[in-house]
Amino acid sequence: MYSTPFLDLPPLEAASGTVRLPGSKSISNRVLLLAALAGGTTTVHDLLDSDDTRVMLNALSALGCRIGREGAALRIEGLDGQLRTASAKLFLGNAGTAMRPLTAALALLGGEFELSGVPRMHERPIGDLVDALVQLGCRIDYLGNPGYPPLAIHAMSLDALQVDAPIRVRGDVSSQFLTALLLALPLASASREITIDVVGELISKPYIEITLNLLARFGVVVRRQGWERFVIPAGSRYRSPGDIHVEADASSASYFIALGAIARGDVIRIEGVGADSIQGDIRFVEAARQMGAKVESGPNWLAVSRGAWPLKAIDLDANHIPDAAMTLAVMALYADGPCLLRNIASWRVKETDRIEAMAQELRKLGATVEDGPDFIRVHPLGAASWRAATIRTYDDHRVAMCFSLAAFNPAGMPVRILDPHCVAKTFPDYFETLFSVAQTADVPVICIDGPTASGKGTLAVATAYQLGYHYLDSGSLYRVTGLAMRRAGLEADAAHEAQIAELARQLPLRFIKGQVLLDDEDVSDAIRTEAAGMDASRVSALPAVRAALLALQKSFRRLPGLVADGRDMGTVVFPDARLKVYLTANASQRAERRHKQLISKGIPATLDSLRADLEARDQRDSSRSVAPLKPAPDARLLDNSSQSVEQSVEQVLAWWQEAQPFGSA
């Protein structure tokens, strides 16, 4: 998951491969609440691990629900309708799938509770749900603006509930209000049936289908009269189904269905959800087919590839796929005419005002967009009309994921996504999953070369962290090769050159969080000794070893980008790198840095000997016949003798920004 301020997506050209989707947010949080309310123990498999589900789990734990891990599954001991905690303050972030149903459930369960969230949650309406609960006799106060969270819920007796007359709830604001009542009211139906009447047109009907399906799994079968009346039978009681599996998220599938429709390449196979899904957003497949995508499906899988090109323009009532329809707005940029998405008023009360957000960000890409209270019309972009854009995400996961698809534009323009971490709400590994199937001929690379002890490794690690890029410590490759050479009883000479090269070709090497792992053994300390440094310098002078390691080094060039440090990254390994930095410092300064480093590890050393060793190594490395140490002709020179690491990182990032078309992030 990327926690950087922004993530730059280079121009992406094609895509193919298989993706496994995370569990559905809508199903996950419903299942968690139902398992907590039910009698018995429920084992939940394939639960989504995201911000929203963690919010729900934390709330249920605070209410006294016992939750434990059982391998990859979650084991929940149900409360059987009886809270173990009489009062609590619950922070629910921006999770509507937690705020709405918990409001209804806690209003009926008895106790004193405060429910709050992030500022945006306090802008999302909840008044219609509260009005419906107050009809019943529930006691709820607004702690801020009337009609919006935060809320104070007060204890009341189920016997005092007024459920003889139908409970009326508006259906044209959010289906989550009706879902919340359907999930909570079985708690009050021991001796009487309860009727809910929907006032106005019910939006997002497929989400109600999910709720009804899951209620039945937990033993409560609701009778439905069209979409206007729902009847909870008398004597309803939640019972654990024992084991329950969470479907993969059909809304998340929309991004990869769209990817298959717009990207060149072979099939995108999506595992975890199929055409028989209980989720309404699976109907996104129908819209994608209307636009020309080729889609095949089977039990728990979809296979998508490009069909009609450009995509066909559509005019669609998108009320049945409100979340997934956002993906269509970006697909519209690749269509043969304007696309109209209608009946999407609910977009305005989601994590952000999604109609406004989509319109603003699409315009940044160069598109002409018309929008109104419940529609958006998007005009396609010709190849010459695309612009590089910095996409604001509004702390909305779906905005971030939708606009990643703009990186496949025919103009070869990059796209910058601000606050990529917001995808943690439903799909924490979204960008990693996208990069696993996306293809490009131009993964950006930053090279940081320089002599020993110049600080290039520290600078490269910090720069890679700031950008969310992969990191390559080429010096470690040579040091690990030297270590493998010593362990094999070889010497860095011509007689053993072929054997050492074969060792180098097969190095099972990984860089993880500052560690260097050789076949899963942490060799970070073993390769940082002075002796290991000398071995690295010796093996690097062997042409066969250098050839063996060259391909290995190039394999680290992966999306979204790479920061590589060494002595010939910009001259030999990545001569086409977009930014090359040659980092140096005077020998005295480098010797002092190395001295402090060795002393901190308890290794005795003297400044004079370290300086002499560094100067000798510089001479040896700069005069060797193969890839001598020198700046690339187009490298930026950076003398950090009097700079802090932070200042050096700031300088490199400033140079990198100059090379981008986005301006300041």
Side-chain angles (χ1 to χ4, degrees):
M1 180 167 58
Y2 291 91
S3 299
T4 52
F6 60 86
L7 180 63
D8 288 345
L9 307 183
L12 302 176
E13 300 172 356
S16 61
T18 299
V19 298
R20 177 78 188 183
L21 298 175
S24 161
K25 177 189 71 169
S26 298
I27 295 176
S28 290
N29 268 357
R30 285 167 171 81
V31 164
L32 289 177
L33 181 58
L34 288 169
L37 297 177
T41 299
T42 305
T43 301
V44 184
H45 302 269
D46 304 321
L47 183 76
L48 171 67
D49 180 15
S50 73
D51 287 351
D52 276 23
T53 53
R54 284 190 285 272
V55 160
M56 179 65 90
L57 285 167
N58 289 339
L60 296 177
S61 294
L63 296 172
C65 191
R66 296 188 180 97
I67 302 170
R69 288 282 173 189
E70 195 171 86
L74 207 64
R75 187 176 174 85
I76 301 174
E77 294 183 24
L79 299 170
D80 201 11
Q82 301 294 319
L83 290 177
R84 297 191 180 100
T85 301
S87 65
K89 293 183 178 181
L90 305 179
F91 178 78
L92 302 176
N94 199 13
T97 56
M99 175 66 77
R100 276 78 179 262
L102 280 172
T103 295
L106 294 176
L108 300 181
L109 286 170
E112 299 290 325
F113 303 100
E114 288 187 15
L115 277 59
S116 64
V118 300
R120 174 57 186 171
M121 177 58 80
H122 297 170
E123 297 173 351
R124 299 177 67 179
I126 201 169
D128 289 294
L129 173 60
V130 171
D131 289 347
L133 292 167
V134 169
Q135 288 178 48
L136 300 174
C138 297
R139 298 170 54 219
I140 303 174
D141 293 328
Y142 296 110
L143 299 178
N145 293 328
Y148 300 87
L151 304 173
I153 298 173
H154 305 290
M156 54 88 63
S157 170
L158 287 178
D159 294 335
L161 283 179
Q162 302 168 24
V163 293
D164 294 333
I167 302 159
R168 294 165 61 84
V169 62
R170 283 179 60 187
D172 59 350
V173 178
S174 173
S175 65
Q176 287 182 7
F177 297 161
L178 176 56
T179 280
L181 292 172
L182 288 168
L183 293 173
L185 287 172
L187 299 170
S189 65
S191 60
R192 52 202 166 173
E193 73 175 21
I194 301 176
T195 300
I196 306 171
D197 281 350
V198 177
V199 179
E201 181 187 2
L202 178 63
I203 63 173
S204 306
K205 297 180 182 70
Y207 285 100
I208 302 304
E209 290 277 19
I210 293 175
T211 302
L212 297 175
N213 182 293
L214 293 174
L215 284 168
R217 292 289 307 277
F218 281 85
V220 175
V221 179
V222 177
R223 301 195 305 273
R224 175 165 71 84
Q225 298 175 19
W227 295 103
E228 294 78 35
R229 172 164 287 192
F230 299 82
V231 180
I232 299 168
S236 293
R237 181 184 175 189
Y238 286 129
R239 298 183 302 276
S240 170
D243 286 77
I244 190 166
H245 291 259
V246 176
E247 275 190 12
D249 187 31
S251 301
S252 295
S254 72
Y255 313 114
F256 294 97
I257 295 169
L259 178 60
I262 66 177
R264 294 185 293 104
D266 296 328
V267 170
I268 296 290
R269 182 180 171 90
I270 302 163
E271 295 184 345
V273 67
D276 57 351
S277 168
I278 67 171
Q279 300 169 72
D281 273 353
I282 197 62
R283 292 179 62 186
F284 181 87
V285 169
E286 300 170 13
R289 282 178 172 144
Q290 287 181 45
M291 295 189 77
K294 294 180 180 178
V295 185
E296 298 179 359
S297 67
N300 225 35
W301 62 268
L302 300 166
V304 190
S305 58
R306 186 195 274 194
W309 194 257
L311 296 175
K312 300 174 183 177
I314 57 171
D315 180 334
L316 182 71
D317 182 333
N319 180 264
H320 60 296
I321 51 169
D323 288 342
M326 295 172 67
T327 312
L328 296 173
V330 178
M331 290 176 70
L333 300 173
Y334 301 93
D336 59 6
C339 293
L340 176 64
L341 304 177
R342 297 177 283 106
N343 204 4
I344 54 171
S346 66
W347 282 22
R348 295 201 180 274
V349 294
K350 297 286 188 175
E351 283 81 345
T352 187
D353 181 338
R354 285 176 168 170
I355 292 180
E356 177 67 17
M358 294 299 290
Q360 291 291 342
E361 305 312 308
L362 287 165
R363 290 178 183 126
K364 289 181 182 178
L365 292 168
T368 298
V369 183
E370 305 155 54
D371 62 280
D374 66 348
F375 76 88
I376 188 168
R377 180 182 285 107
V378 182
H379 295 254
L381 281 171
S385 301
W386 286 82
R387 297 199 297 259
T390 296
I391 302 299
R392 181 185 171 198
T393 52
Y394 308 85
D395 196 26
D396 190 331
H397 54 131
R398 302 212 181 278
V399 174
M401 292 186 279
C402 284
F403 278 93
S404 68
L405 299 171
F408 289 86
N409 66 82
M413 292 291 180
V415 176
R416 171 168 288 175
I417 305 293
L418 298 182
D419 186 26
H421 180 266
C422 67
V423 301
K425 184 176 178 67
T426 53
F427 199 160
D429 296 329
Y430 171 74
F431 288 107
E432 290 88 342
T433 304
L434 174 65
F435 296 147
S436 74
V437 294
Q439 300 160 19
T440 180
D442 188 23
V443 175
V445 176
I446 298 174
C447 293
I448 300 178
D449 289 318
T452 298
S454 60
K456 57 186 179 293
T458 302
L459 175 59
V461 168
T463 302
Y465 177 79
Q466 289 291 325
L467 295 172
Y469 283 4
H470 299 285
Y471 167 61
L472 167 61
D473 176 2
S474 70
S476 288
L477 301 185
Y478 290 99
R479 287 174 176 265
V480 173
T481 301
L483 178 65
M485 173 191 73
R486 288 297 175 196
R487 289 180 174 181
L490 305 176
E491 292 292 336
D493 54 29
H496 297 99
E497 182 174 353
Q499 291 171 275
I500 299 171
E502 186 60 27
L503 283 175
R505 259 189 292 272
Q506 300 179 33
L507 283 177
L509 188 63
R510 292 185 297 148
F511 300 105
I512 298 180
K513 297 180 179 178
Q515 294 180 318
V516 181
L517 302 181
L518 177 62
D519 198 17
D520 293 330
E521 175 194 353
D522 185 356
V523 296
S524 306
D525 292 335
I527 65 171
R528 296 302 173 193
T529 65
E530 289 301 297
M534 293 299 293
D535 280 341
S537 186
R538 293 186 183 102
V539 298
S540 67
L542 300 174
V545 174
R546 296 190 64 82
L549 288 177
L550 183 60
L552 181 61
Q553 292 175 98
K554 290 184 175 181
S555 72
F556 281 86
R557 188 174 192 169
R558 300 189 299 271
L559 288 167
L562 174 68
V563 180
D565 83 69
R567 300 178 187 180
D568 59 1
M569 293 296 97
T571 53
V572 176
V573 184
F574 302 110
D576 61 341
R578 296 186 192 175
L579 174 63
K580 301 170 188 175
V581 176
Y582 190 82
L583 184 70
T584 189
N586 61 58
S588 296
Q589 183 64 41
R590 288 188 287 138
E592 287 181 17
R593 292 173 182 170
R594 178 55 59 88
H595 185 258
K596 289 178 181 178
Q597 182 184 52
L598 294 175
I599 294 300
S600 69
K601 295 181 178 181
I603 301 173
T606 65
L607 280 172
D608 288 343
S609 63
L610 287 174
R611 177 171 178 172
D613 178 64
L614 288 172
E615 290 175 339
R617 191 174 301 182
D618 289 348
Q619 177 62 32
R620 184 169 60 251
D621 290 342
S622 61
S623 61
R624 66 192 179 198
S625 59
V626 179
L629 174 65
K630 63 179 181 179
D634 53 346
R636 302 261 198 159
L637 302 181
L638 178 58
D639 186 329
N640 69 349
S641 299
S642 59
Q643 282 189 331
S644 66
V645 173
E646 292 75 18
Q647 289 172 321
S648 296
V649 172
E650 186 177 343
Q651 179 62 75
V652 172
L653 291 176
W655 284 336
W656 185 242
Q657 282 286 94
E658 290 175 12
Q660 309 309 309
F662 304 115
S664 175

